[in-house]
């Protein structure tokens, strides 16, 4: 869930400039002249778009807006799919133990939460001038300090618009994983996209995105991305529009929700900034909630069912983050979509029983992230575990998930003593005990409640009855400019009589050429053994893309 710019260096403090951050001896590759060229970072996101109403939420949404709009605090804007640099930088700082109260596994992140975690505008404080109480994440001369000061600069409230032109070449038509469901036509194609963000007003923030693509064979189309308006206070904000979400600690996939599919029309209620839990439950530390209700597409066996998602997360201390997540798909044309149907589904009653009131597809799970911020080699390990169907806990009446799947891995935010390098290893599997074929499909409803949107899985892009192993590393040239390399193997077990194995290798570069111009490129090779599970010659594919963006913005 990428975009950012270089923080200016060695300038006199001004309203829109970050005070000077001298270069650490030994980091001569951080060329000062190049860094001066980058002035204002650009935050963008997707929002404002064509989305259908969710009728059952209409009255509630209007009432909530009326209550929240007068709140004397800015609504919190979001960092979304197109802002890869911010997400990667925040992940690195969090895994190094520099963001002890931040909840990193409920995404998209709000700019307000990132600002709060970095100590607001103290991000430019140097170690030799730090005042008591200053966040150490933003102090020091090392690359991690540079990264923190850049993120702090990048999260300032602003209004911006970014336009992007891209050229792509692919030997087959494909829709890449975790890219919002935007397809790449076969052959040479072009893509134009726009992102816009507004967080400069006191009561309302908004973000919008859209992309249009052009293929050689006349395959053209337009996709409205994450596009919404939000109003509220740090502890409760309401968002209406086309939304997407990511629940869990995996960064190359998660079991319940990712941005693998297109965004969907809905309403979300959340706290943009983590809340310190008071009283008897204060041992939970900071907490965060996220609830949404969305309407799925009409082109499915049960048209327009409702998608409900919820997540509760807590950060008891700097070492531990916990999360509980759940999804439900129910209702739709010819089925009860009212409050009683939601309540019955929520209680887990009559799950998967055919009929108007009992039919529902549920996934529920938990995740845990352990951060060990050792100065010599920080390590972050994580586990997500979720069940596709509902059973009962130890024979009791208590609903409990079954048919489990897993995502686990480790993230090293520094390598060889330098925060300019990192490495992630991630493994996912729902192929367990013959239960893998149940994941993301829903045979009882004839696929009407399948965990998909517009034929794309809402969860892990590996799909059902599969496993995936990925290794990804980065080398940073500047806090906002890096090289990314990824190796992955995905095995799918139920597509045919044989096992399909897909090996993919990619290398990409993301960076800013100036304060307004961003460049991104990627080259990938893919080989598929036993395509669709059918024995035969391997299928091979090569793809390439390059994109240039120009950004305009104003703000603090």
């Amino acid at each position: 869930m990428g975009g950012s710019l270089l923080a200016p260096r060695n300038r006199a403090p001004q309203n829109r400039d970050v005070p000077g951050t001298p270069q650490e001896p030994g980091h001569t590759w951080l060329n000062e002249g190049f860094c001066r060229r980058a002035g204002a970072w650009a935050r963008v996101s997707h929002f404002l778009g064509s989305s259908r109403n969710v009728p059952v939420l209409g009255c509630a949404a209007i009432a909530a807006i009326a209550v929240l709009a007068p709140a004397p605090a800015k609504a919190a804007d979001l960092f979304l799919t197109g802002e890869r640099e911010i997400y990667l930088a925040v992940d690195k700082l969090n895994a190094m133990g520099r963001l002890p109260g931040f909840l990193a596994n409920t995404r998209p992140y709000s700019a307000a939460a990132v600002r709060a975690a970095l100590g607001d505008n103290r991000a430019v404080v140097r170690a030799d001038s730090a005042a008591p109480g200053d966040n150490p994440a933003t102090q020091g001369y090392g690359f991690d300090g540079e990264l923190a000061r850049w993120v702090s600069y990048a999260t300032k409230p602003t209004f911006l618009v970014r336009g992007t032109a891209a050229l792509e070449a692919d030997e087959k038509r494909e829709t890449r994983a975790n890219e919002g469901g935007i397809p790449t036509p076969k052959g040479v194609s072009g893509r134009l996209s726009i992102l816009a963000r507004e967080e400069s007003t006191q009561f309302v923030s908004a973000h919008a995105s859209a992309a249009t693509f052009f293929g050689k064979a006349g395959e053209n189309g337009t996709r409205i991305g994450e596009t919404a308006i939000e109003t509220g206070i740090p502890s409760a904000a309401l968002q209406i529009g086309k939304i997407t979400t990511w629940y869990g600690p995996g960064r190359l996939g998660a079991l319940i929700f990712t941005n693998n599919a297109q965004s969907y029309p809905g309403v979300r209620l959340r706290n943009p900034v983590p809340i310190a839990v008071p009283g008897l439950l204060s041992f939970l530390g900071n907490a965060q909630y996220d609830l949404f209700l969305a309407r799925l597409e009409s082109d499915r066996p049960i048209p327009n069912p409702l998608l409900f998602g919820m997540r509760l997360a807590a950060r008891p201390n700097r070492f531990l983050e916990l999360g509980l997540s759940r999804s439900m798909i129910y209702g739709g044309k010819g089925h009860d979509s009212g409050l009683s149907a939601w309540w019955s589904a929520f209680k887990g009653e009559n799950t998967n029983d055919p009929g108007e009131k009992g039919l529902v597809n549920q996934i529920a799970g938990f995740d845990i992230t352990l951060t060990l911020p050792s100065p010599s080699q920080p390590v972050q390990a994580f586990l997500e575990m979720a069940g596709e169907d509902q059973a009962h806990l130890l024979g009791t009446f208590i609903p409990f998930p079954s048919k489990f799947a897993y995502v686990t891995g480790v993230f090293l935010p520094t390598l060889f003593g330098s925060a300019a390098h990192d490495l992630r290893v991630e493994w996912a599997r729902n192929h367990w005990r013959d239960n893998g074929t149940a994941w993301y499909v829903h045979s009882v409803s004839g696929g009407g409640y399948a965990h998909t949107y517009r034929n794309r899985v809402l969860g892990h892009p590996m799909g059902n009855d599969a496993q995936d192993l990925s290794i990804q590393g980065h080398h940073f040239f500047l806090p906002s400019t890096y090289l990314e390399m990824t190796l992955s193997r995905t095995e799918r077990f139920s597509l045919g009589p044989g096992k399909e194995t897909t090996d993919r290798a990619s290398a990409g570069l993301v960076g800013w050429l100036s304060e307004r111009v961003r460049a991104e490129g990627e080259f990938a090779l893919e080989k598929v053994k036993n395509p669709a599970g059918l024995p035969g010659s391997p299928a091979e594919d090569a793809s390439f893309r390059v994109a240039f963006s120009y950004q305009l913005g104003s703000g603090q």
Side-chain angles (χ1 to χ4, degrees), residues 219-234:
E219 184 182 2
N220 306 327
T222 299
R223 300 287 187 270
I224 303 298
E226 299 152 285
T227 299
I229 188 169
E230 180 171 313
T231 184
I233 58 178

Side-chain angles (χ1 to χ4, degrees), residues 488-537:
S488 67
R489 166 167 285 190
T490 305
E491 297 173 299
R492 299 181 174 92
F493 297 88
S494 300
L495 296 179
K499 178 181 67 176
E500 179 191 89
T501 301
T502 302
D503 293 316
R504 192 175 193 272
S506 65
L509 181 68
V510 176
W512 288 85
L513 305 181
S514 73
E515 64 177 311
R516 297 193 183 278
V517 179
R518 177 183 185 269
E520 181 174 356
E522 182 190 65
F523 178 73
L525 295 173
E526 182 178 278
K527 183 176 182 179
V528 183
K529 182 180 179 181
N530 297 332
L534 301 175
S537 300

Side-chain angles (χ1 to χ4, degrees), residues 199-219:
E199 198 196 359
S200 57
T201 58
Q202 185 172 7
F203 302 116
V204 178
S205 66
H207 32 261
S209 72
T212 184
F213 52 90
F214 313 90
K216 288 179 61 177
E219 184 182 2

